[in-house]
Amino acid sequence: TTPPSEPHPTQTEQQSQTTMPTVAVSRDALFAHLGRTYTDEEFDELAFEFGVELDEVTSERIEATKSDTVRLSASELARLSDEVIYKIDVPANRYDLLCIEGISRSLKVFLGDMDAPTYDVVKASDEKASTMTVIKSNTDTIRPYVVCAILRDVTFDEARYQSFIELQDQLHRNLCRNRTLVAIGTHDLDAVKGPFSYDARSPADIKFVPLTHTDDGREFDGASLMEHYETDAGCKHLKPYVPIIKDSPLYPVVLDGEETVLSLPPIINGSKSRITLDTKNVLIECTATD
């Protein structure tokens, strides 16, 4: 007899099968954001009530001792930090919880310590300079969609900057499907000049200094950069993304009003628009395939 067909999973079942992203945050920094302190057991209970899970309490030194592949000497272990790290599992559909700021803000709302924030879209102070022109006849062949925003009056310090970069990485790994669906580029708005354009061009016609080569100022065209990222050990973290566009006759590219390359999505940003601790205004561009 033919066995009965398996029923289609419900939406709830599909969500339960989705891997929950894990966010690692400093316990002390999180408590500073919250303005409260907890024992590990108390925070575990709070996390459960809120709807996330405290998966692990660890530290840099503990993580090193658990590794099966890396063996450190006693002196090397002694140099590692004992700062307590909370690894928190968050729901796959709560992208606002992928950073310490998002987690602490949501917990403060849950605890009644603050009202839920509201956000307003402000009209551009210089509308012409803030436009993005899309060359659809070209971009439709490779990565058709782009959405942009500008964040003004940002204040970075080292901790905020690292959290900003880590949030972008978390979004890329999860919602953005390892950049195959969406790639996010962030830029120092004051280092470039609008209006902006989103195009797709022959790899040989795209020339710029990528973010990875800021120090030596080495310029590449699109084709040579793909070859470099495939073979250079120092850029191995970018190698997995190369096949997304490498064999396309046209590569997507975001440019400013002076034809400066801001990014070659979904691979790398240009050096000129790199964000630093002095950045005050941030241009965000998200290119997508759907």
Side-chain angles (χ1 to χ4, degrees):
T1 60
T2 303
S5 60
E6 292 291 332
H8 294 293
T10 65
Q11 183 177 7
T12 301
E13 290 171 334
Q14 288 175 332
Q15 289 175 345
S16 67
Q17 295 167 3
T18 303
T19 301
M20 296 176 69
T22 300
V23 184
V25 300
S26 161
R27 180 196 63 186
D28 292 347
L30 178 60
F31 289 175
H33 277 277
L34 293 174
R36 298 172 178 238
T37 58
Y38 299 88
T39 65
D40 293 342
E41 292 75 17
E42 289 169 341
F43 186 79
D44 188 24
E45 183 176 348
L46 172 63
F48 177 79
E49 292 174 352
F50 173 66
V52 297
E53 181 180 347
L54 178 58
D55 179 63
E56 188 177 359
V57 180
T58 186
S59 70
E60 185 181 44
R61 185 177 299 175
I62 291 173
E63 291 297 297
T65 59
K66 294 192 305 186
S67 175
D68 293 328
T69 57
V70 179
R71 300 295 182 187
L72 300 181
S73 66
S75 61
E76 289 173 324
L77 284 173
R79 289 195 293 269
L80 298 179
S81 174
D82 281 324
E83 180 185 30
V84 176
I85 301 297
Y86 280 175
K87 290 188 175 182
I88 302 172
D89 291 341
V90 303
N93 63 344
R94 287 296 303 271
Y95 309 114
D96 58 311
L97 301 180
L98 291 176
C99 61
I100 189 172
E101 293 85 359
I103 293 172
S104 60
R105 179 180 60 237
S106 294
L107 285 173
K108 288 174 76 172
V109 173
F110 177 72
L111 290 165
D113 290 346
M114 66 175 286
D115 295 329
T118 58
Y119 301 98
D120 297 318
V121 177
V122 180
K123 187 175 181 180
S125 56
D126 185 344
E127 192 164 344
K128 182 179 179 181
S130 302
T131 60
M132 174 74 77
T133 301
V134 181
I135 314 302
K136 283 184 60 61
S137 57
N138 294 335
T139 59
D140 280 354
T141 68
I142 176 67
R143 205 170 184 90
Y145 305 102
V146 63
V147 176
C148 303
I150 292 173
L151 300 179
R152 295 194 181 275
D153 300 322
V154 174
T155 300
F156 282 116
D157 57 24
E158 188 62 39
R160 289 175 178 176
Y161 175 79
Q162 289 302 325
S163 184
F164 183 82
I165 298 301
E166 288 168 9
L167 173 59
Q168 189 172 330
D169 289 341
Q170 281 277 18
L171 289 169
H172 275 149
R173 285 193 296 269
N174 294 281
L175 176 65
C176 301
R177 312 280 176 82
N178 288 315
R179 308 190 193 184
T180 58
L181 180 62
V182 180
I184 305 167
T186 55
H187 311 274
D188 187 331
L189 180 66
D190 299 315
V192 292
K193 185 177 180 179
F196 304 94
S197 60
Y198 177 48
D199 199 0
R201 298 181 178 181
S202 167
D205 294 334
I206 301 172
K207 296 181 173 65
F208 69 112
V209 177
L211 193 59
T212 48
H213 288 71
T214 296
D215 291 341
D216 62 23
R218 182 178 173 187
E219 185 178 87
F220 294 81
D221 65 29
S224 63
L225 187 60
M226 295 302 98
E227 296 291 338
H228 180 69
Y229 285 163
E230 278 192 320
T231 58
D232 187 86
C235 301
K236 63 182 180 181
H237 61 293
L238 295 171
K239 182 177 179 179
Y241 311 118
V242 170
I244 299 174
I245 64 168
K246 182 185 177 186
D247 294 331
S248 172
L250 300 179
Y251 286 0
V253 60
V254 177
L255 307 111
D256 77 351
E258 297 179 338
E259 289 281 292
T260 300
V261 172
L262 273 62
S263 70
L264 180 70
I267 311 299
I268 192 70
N269 288 351
S271 174
K272 184 176 180 180
S273 61
R274 67 189 182 279
I275 289 178
T276 70
L277 298 185
D278 296 324
T279 296
K280 294 299 180 185
N281 301 298
V282 178
L283 169 66
I284 304 171
E285 41 88 3
C286 303
T287 60
T289 56
D290 195 6

